[in-house]
C-alpha cells in the first residue's frame, strides 16, 4: 500500500469510528464565529471538559459581543474560572468582545487580523476560521494533532512549532481532510491514541501505523490528559 492509500484508509477508519465518540467542544460552535473565537481562546492549555463547563457558563450569560460587554469582570470570572489562566482570559474575553462589537459584530476572517486580538495566537486564529467560517487554508495543530501525526509518520518527530507541523501535514493530507483533521485527532487522541498510554493493542489503525516514538502502551485505568 502506498502512503496516500495508507493515509486515506487511516482517515476513513477514524472518521467512521468518530461517529460513536463524544464530539469536541468546539464542534458545537460551527458556523458561529464569535462563539468559536471565544471558545478557542478559552480552550488554550485547558482540559476539554473544563472548557465545556466555562463555555456553558459564559454563553448562558451572554452569547454576543454587545451582551458580553455588559457583564462585569466578576461575572466573567465566575463563568470562566474552570479554565487555566482565567485571570488573563477575563481580559481577553472583554478585549475580543470590544473589538468584534467595534467591527459591527463581525469576527475577522484572516489569521493576521485575528492574531492582533489579545489572547489569540496562531492556533486559536486557525481554529476560529475553521470552526466559525469553515475556512481551510491551514490545519489546526494542537497537542493531539502533533503527537498523533508523529506516531503515524505524517510529521517529522523533531518538528515542534505548530505552523511547521501544519505545513508538513498539508504536504501529506488531501485538501478535503484539512477542516476535519483537528476534530478527528482530538477525538482519536482522547479515545485511542492517548498521550501517555496509547491503546495500540486494540487500535483500529494499528496495521497502518509505524508507532514512531511510542515507548509504552495501554491499557491503563486512569484517564490521560485531554486538551482541545
Ligand atoms: S497504533 Fe498506537 S501509536 Fe499508532 S495510531 Fe494506534 S494508538 Fe496511536
Amino acid at each position: 500500500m502506498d502512503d496516500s492509500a495508507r493515509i486515506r484508509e487511516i482517515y476513513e477508519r477514524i472518521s467512521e469510528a468518530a461517529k460513536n465518540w463524544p464530539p469536541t467542544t468546539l464542534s458545537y460552535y460551527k458556523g458561529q464565529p464569535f462563539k468559536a473565537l471565544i471558545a478557542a481562546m478559552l480552550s488554550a492549555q485547558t482540559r476539554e471538559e473544563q472548557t465545556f463547563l466555562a463555555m456553558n457558563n459564559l454563553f448562558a450569560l451572554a452569547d454576543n459581543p454587545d451582551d458580553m460587554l455588559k457583564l462585569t469582570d466578576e461575572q466573567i470570572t465566575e463563568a470562566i474560572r474552570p479554565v487555566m489562566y482565567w485571570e488573563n482570559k477575563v481580559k481577553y474575553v472583554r478585549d475580543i468582545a470590544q473589538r468584534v462589537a467595534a467591527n459591527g459584530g463581525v469576527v475577522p476572517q484572516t489569521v493576521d487580523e485575528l492574531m492582533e486580538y489579545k489572547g489569540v495566537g496562531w492556533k486559536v486564529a486557525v481554529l476560529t476560521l475553521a470552526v466559525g467560517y469553515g475556512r481551510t487554508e491551514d490545519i489546526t495543530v494542537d497537542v493531539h494533532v502533533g503527537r498523533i501525526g508523529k506516531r503515524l509518520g505524517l510529521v517529522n518527530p523533531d518538528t515542534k512549532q505548530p505552523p511547521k507541523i501544519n505545513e508538513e501535514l498539508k504536504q501529506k493530507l488531501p485538501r478535503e481532510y484539512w477542516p476535519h483533521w483537528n476534530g478527528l485527532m482530538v477525538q482519536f487522541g482522547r479515545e485511542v491514541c492517548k498521550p501517555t498510554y496509547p491503546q495500540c493493542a486494540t487500535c483500529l489503525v494499528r496495521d497502518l501505523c509505524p508507532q514512531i516514538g511510542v515507548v509504552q502502551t495501554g491499557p491503563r485505568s486512569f484517564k490521560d490528559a485531554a486538551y482541545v
Side-chain angles (χ1 to χ4, degrees):
M1 184 183 288
D2 66 24
D3 209 36
S4 64
R6 181 181 77 95
I7 290 167
R8 188 165 58 250
E9 186 65 24
I10 288 170
Y11 181 83
E12 287 176 1
R13 286 190 203 174
I14 295 175
S15 295
E16 189 58 32
K19 293 174 184 171
N20 297 314
W21 293 332
T24 64
T25 298
L26 267 292
S27 69
Y28 291 106
Y29 309 119
K30 275 183 186 166
Q32 303 177 72
F34 179 69
K35 285 186 172 181
L37 173 55
I38 294 284
M41 181 277 291
L42 289 180
S43 73
Q45 305 297 314
T46 298
R47 284 174 180 270
E48 184 139 359
E49 56 268 34
Q50 301 305 106
T51 303
F52 188 63
L53 187 57
M55 289 297 80
N56 283 339
N57 291 343
L58 184 61
F59 293 147
L61 296 174
D63 64 358
N64 62 74
D66 291 331
D67 287 346
M68 210 161 274
L69 286 173
K70 292 174 188 163
L71 301 178
T72 64
D73 283 351
E74 289 71 27
Q75 285 177 299
I76 299 173
T77 297
E78 280 310 304
I80 72 164
R81 198 186 286 274
V83 302
M84 293 292 289
Y85 310 115
W86 57 265
E87 299 96 327
N88 290 334
K89 290 175 180 176
V90 170
K91 297 173 200 152
Y92 302 158
V93 166
R94 194 168 289 290
D95 182 72
I96 289 170
Q98 276 171 345
R99 285 173 175 258
V100 174
N103 199 39
V106 178
V107 172
Q109 297 189 41
T110 69
V111 168
D112 288 344
E113 286 176 287
L114 280 168
M115 285 180 63
E116 289 176 6
Y117 284 28
K118 286 182 185 168
V120 179
W122 180 85
K123 177 200 155 187
V124 170
V126 172
L127 190 54
T128 298
L129 295 179
V131 175
Y133 288 117
R135 299 278 294 273
T136 59
E137 284 81 359
D138 291 294
I139 297 167
T140 309
V141 175
D142 63 5
V143 290
H144 293 293
V145 170
R147 176 184 75 254
I148 298 168
K150 291 174 185 180
R151 288 173 176 172
L152 287 171
L154 304 175
V155 174
N156 187 313
D158 297 326
T159 304
K160 293 189 171 51
Q161 295 299 320
K164 288 185 180 164
I165 292 174
N166 163 55
E167 292 302 328
E168 290 183 22
L169 284 173
K170 288 195 322 189
Q171 297 294 320
K172 296 260 186 179
L173 302 178
R175 177 82 190 229
E176 64 265 29
Y177 296 177
W178 297 3
H180 313 296
W181 193 255
N182 176 269
L184 284 178
M185 291 304 106
V186 170
Q187 291 176 289
F188 185 53
R190 288 188 312 210
E191 300 290 329
V192 182
C193 195
K194 301 182 181 187
T196 311
Y197 290 94
Q199 312 290 296
C200 298
T202 54
C203 177
L204 63 162
V205 296
R206 186 184 182 192
D207 57 315
L208 303 168
C209 177
Q211 297 175 272
I212 293 172
V214 173
V215 293
Q216 56 189 358
T217 63
R220 181 85 173 179
S221 58
F222 68 80
K223 200 173 179 186
D224 279 335
Y227 296 95
V228 171

